[in-house]
Amino acid sequence: MIHQVILKIASRCNLNCSYCYLYNHQDSSWKEQPKFITDHVFDRTLEVIRDYCRRRTAHQVALVFHGGEPTLVGPGRLASLSARAKLVLGRSLASITLQTNGTRLNEEMVDVIARAGISVGFSLDGPAHIHDATRVTHANLGSYSNAILGLERLRHAGIEPAVLCVVNPYVSGEEIYRHFRDIGLRNITFLLPDVSHDHKLSWYSSASSTPVADYLTPVFDSWFRDDDPDVVVRPFTDLIASMMGGNGEGDIFGNPLQTYVMVETDGSIEALDTLRVCYSGITKTKLNVVEHTFDNIQELNPMLHRMINVGFPLCVKCEQCHERAICGGGYLPHRYSRAREFDNPSVWCEDIKSLLQHMRSAIGLMAT
Ligand code: SF4
Ligand code: SF4
């Protein structure tokens, strides 16, 4: 079932991060998208969400303003889009979140975010010398100082963002984690680098054999030693929850059904955005909020239907793996290859095994 709609209100970005799955991997379809969502497409999206919720009992959907960089719409438009979403969706709206690179959060923008009660997801990859090596402007200038200014303005308005950090296999995870603690972050998610089997070598040929585990294991140790219940670090909290028999959040591990869809600035209903690292056009569905509803997904797009309602079976190796209940074969884009589609273990399989084994021994749990 769909619980979240990730809505691209801007398709371009003021940054050009070297690893960006949208602009710098296999897919170039963003070039065909309108730069901004129109009021007509936005309103149709709200109507589709409202009708989807009405057909289900007490169903709510969370809205995520995404991009590109969603703040490119400007503070006035952000305010009007938020107000419109609340008006049309009413009780069907669970929350509004803005996923931002943080570099355009001037006082006016932060004021709109605070007044509208918007939660903030904030991308930050570490201290300046690490962050600025990959998260750069189109003029190749680092973005750390502007991101930190944005973070300070949010905090001044009483907003503590959830920080997303993409694992960079060539730097120290522990240094990044310590920096995050030094600047007072309490909600941190480390994302595994998005890449498919077909392109892993071209991105990470000079990395170690388990670069993600080499990065995350010292982070886990530091976080575990800190033992601060107010600091949530994913994926560790989710993985520990799964190890203890509960459910972790998120779609990276456990092979869960997808609970969200993406809507592009032209109204296209698309599949998991990060699949763009697989090949150009993979996320296309021929569905559009102007003509279709989310209930048309089943009849009109087998792949998206499978992601949301059916799921993908694990490959033979994952089926036989003692970590399958926790790992679930890894994130879909990381499972993909041209030759076998999603019938592969994750490109980060050895990293995941190593990390899980380390975590289990640190917290004194046996493998099931
Ligand atoms: S800020 Fe996000 S959308 Fe923009 S280039 Fe960087 S990773 Fe891509
Ligand atoms: S650790 Fe590797 S083999 Fe095991 S479930 Fe995960 S991806 Fe599959």
Side-chain angles (χ1 to χ4, degrees):
M1 200 172 315
I2 295 166
H3 292 281
Q4 188 181 63
V5 173
I6 300 174
L7 182 54
K8 302 207 164 211
I9 59 176
S11 65
R12 307 298 199 264
C13 188
N14 60 319
L15 298 189
N16 185 28
C17 305
S18 57
Y19 57 74
C20 179
Y21 65 77
L22 193 55
Y23 306 120
N24 291 322
H25 273 260
Q26 304 306 309
D27 190 284
S28 54
S29 60
W30 60 272
K31 292 178 185 165
E32 294 146 28
Q33 286 297 328
K35 288 185 178 165
F36 300 106
I37 198 165
T38 61
D39 285 341
H40 175 58
V41 168
F42 186 75
D43 281 354
R44 270 300 300 157
T45 308
L46 297 180
E47 287 163 16
V48 166
I49 296 172
R50 184 190 59 200
D51 294 347
Y52 183 83
C53 292
R54 277 184 182 164
R55 277 187 228 113
R56 287 152 183 87
T57 310
H59 192 71
Q60 288 191 310
V61 165
L63 203 52
V64 180
F65 291 154
H66 210 276
E69 174 49 40
T71 60
L72 285 173
V73 299
R77 185 104 199 278
L78 185 66
S80 72
L81 295 179
S82 308
R84 184 93 187 121
K86 288 178 188 175
L87 182 72
V88 173
L89 295 180
R91 288 176 182 220
S92 302
L93 180 64
S95 59
I96 303 177
T97 300
L98 179 81
Q99 181 56 47
T100 177
N101 61 39
T103 59
R104 293 175 41 83
L105 297 176
N106 60 22
E107 280 171 18
E108 204 183 348
M109 189 73 74
V110 170
D111 189 50
V112 167
I113 292 167
R115 281 175 193 274
I118 297 174
S119 306
V120 178
F122 192 106
S123 298
L124 195 70
D125 278 1
H129 73 100
I130 293 174
H131 181 99
D132 286 349
T134 51
R135 296 188 66 82
V136 292
T137 66
H138 292 271
N140 210 26
L141 299 171
S143 60
Y144 179 85
S145 55
N146 277 337
I148 291 296
L149 270 179
L151 178 67
E152 285 166 0
R153 288 194 185 110
L154 284 175
R155 285 177 162 167
H156 190 65
I159 300 166
E160 187 60 38
V163 163
L164 297 180
C165 173
V166 177
V167 168
N168 176 345
Y170 298 108
V171 299
S172 160
E174 188 173 16
E175 181 183 355
I176 291 165
Y177 172 73
R178 292 267 53 108
H179 177 70
F180 286 169
R181 295 302 311 272
D182 289 346
I183 61 173
L185 299 179
R186 298 195 301 273
N187 185 339
I188 305 162
T189 297
F190 290 96
L191 299 171
L192 275 53
D194 288 319
V195 72
S196 72
H197 283 274
D198 298 328
H199 304 104
K200 185 183 177 189
L201 264 185
S202 63
W203 280 84
Y204 300 112
S205 59
S206 55
S208 71
S209 58
T210 53
V212 171
D214 296 348
Y215 176 111
L216 285 178
T217 303
V219 177
F220 172 78
D221 287 341
S222 286
W223 172 69
F224 199 61
R225 268 196 310 271
D226 287 347
D227 195 21
D228 185 339
D230 290 335
V231 177
V232 174
V233 178
R234 295 193 170 85
F236 309 136
T237 46
D238 293 332
L239 290 170
I240 290 173
S242 299
M243 286 174 187
M244 309 286 275
N247 285 322
E249 291 177 18
D251 57 353
I252 308 291
F253 295 110
N255 202 24
L257 294 176
Q258 190 173 306
T259 57
Y260 56 87
V261 291
M262 326 275 315
V263 176
E264 284 284 348
T265 52
D266 70 349
S268 307
I269 301 168
E270 296 212 344
L272 178 61
D273 213 23
T274 46
L275 282 173
R276 292 171 196 278
V277 300
C278 303
Y279 64 86
S280 193
I282 187 172
T283 59
K284 296 285 174 207
T285 65
K286 296 190 177 148
L287 291 155
N288 192 298
V289 290
V290 177
E291 296 171 62
H292 306 105
T293 72
F294 296 150
D295 289 315
N296 293 130
I297 287 172
Q298 178 162 356
E299 62 190 283
L300 295 179
N301 193 270
M303 186 168 82
L304 193 47
H305 167 57
R306 212 167 163 195
M307 285 181 186
I308 295 169
N309 300 313
V310 183
F312 286 85
L314 297 182
C315 68
V316 172
K317 183 179 172 189
C318 294
E319 272 298 343
Q320 294 170 350
C321 174
H322 66 283
E323 298 290 10
R324 75 182 178 285
I326 312 297
C327 168
Y331 195 35
L332 272 181
H334 307 168
R335 288 169 58 177
Y336 183 84
S337 72
R338 281 263 183 197
R340 301 176 61 86
E341 299 197 327
F342 300 103
D343 191 27
N344 301 291
S346 168
V347 289
W348 305 118
C349 172
E350 294 308 316
D351 302 75
I352 294 167
K353 278 184 186 161
S354 167
L355 178 67
L356 292 180
Q357 187 180 353
H358 180 84
M359 287 175 63
R360 255 198 211 90
S361 93
I363 60 180
L365 282 174
M366 303 289 289
T368 48

